[in-house]
Amino acid sequence: MLWLAVLLGVLIGVIGFGAIYQTLATRRDRHRFLPPGKLIEIEGSHWHYQIVGDGSPTVIVDSGAGGPHLDWQLVQPEVAKFTRVLTYDRAGYGWSDLSSEPRTAEQVVSELRQLLQKAEIEPPYVLVGMSLSGLFSRFFAYHYPEEVAGMVLVDVAHERMYEETPVEWVELNKRLEGLLTHVVPMMGRTGLLRLLVTFDALPLAAGLSQKFPPSMRPLAKALYSQTQFGITFAQESAAVSVSMNQAEQARQTKSFPDIPLLVLSAGKPNFDITQEVLEKLQELHADLASESSQGIHIVAHESGHAIQLDEPELVIDAIRQVVEKVRYGNTP
């Protein structure tokens, strides 16, 4: 009993020290890394967005789960050479405030439209969605087709993904979602997430940060280590199934606009993606391309899931193609 009490005391002490360290380190990062874009207040919350370039249509870029706007820093400067492009941090990521609202497709799209209106970014837009945010981009287009002129989808989630992929993979992903919902926020609050990210001991974060230029890696690690990052990542993980259902319902009841649409698929397995799962996901992406008569499906054979970091030139070219079709039709 004495040893148990000692161990419990040590554990409480370690957790307490970790929580204090996390608070101080997060505060330090906030002073060390200032927002590169603008902060705008919407209903009492601050949102961070960055606009570069000139021209029309404006490209609106959204990241995957856990992704701040930093994920597009290899793409954004090149797109800015031929049109205006906006990247932003969804609520709880980067320099945007946390939200208590469920992180569903419906909620995210509502918040994005408020940001665009408050920042006076007029439609029509070319939407670019990656991974989870592909559900958000398509939900936007179903409900506000008059505001969407074109779209690029980058290895996105599909609303029937869990129905048409191997059961073993689906069960693994759902277990991971449950684990992330409960464990990641605790890791964030106690500094464990920061420790793992700092020493590249978290495979996903390490894999992403290594794709950035060396000068950007300290900032990437700081953003992944934030307390609010762990909370938001868990919120989005908990809402994945709801977002899928919302996208499915919109697809069944509304028409997708007949717009230039390019859908990119990863060509290399990575993490828990086997070749069998990869090929099924590619089939689902081809299905998304068929939603528009102008849809094109492309497989990025040398890229894993994060195509915008593995082969950014493919994403840049896809955006350029869609922008030119919007401007000039099929004969730029």
Side-chain angles (χ1 to χ4, degrees), residues 74-75 307-318 320:
L74 302 182
V75 172
I307 303 174
Q308 78 277 14
L309 297 175
D310 290 335
E311 294 185 272
E313 64 279 0
L314 291 182
V315 179
I316 296 163
D317 187 60
R320 180 186 290 109

Side-chain angles (χ1 to χ4, degrees), residues 11-12 14-23 183-195 225 227:
L11 180 60
I12 293 173
V14 169
I15 292 174
F17 176 80
I20 294 171
Y21 170 71
Q22 174 64 12
T23 300
V183 174
V184 174
M186 181 177 65
M187 292 172 61
R189 292 187 180 97
T190 59
L192 179 57
L193 182 63
R194 178 178 295 275
L195 183 67
S225 299
T227 304

Side-chain angles (χ1 to χ4, degrees), residues 147-170:
E147 298 182 11
V148 182
M151 186 177 295
V152 176
L153 299 175
V154 182
D155 208 45
V156 295
H158 190 288
E159 60 272 14
R160 296 199 301 274
M161 188 168 66
Y162 287 167
E163 299 172 19
E164 301 193 18
T165 48
V167 174
E168 297 81 6
W169 184 75
V170 174

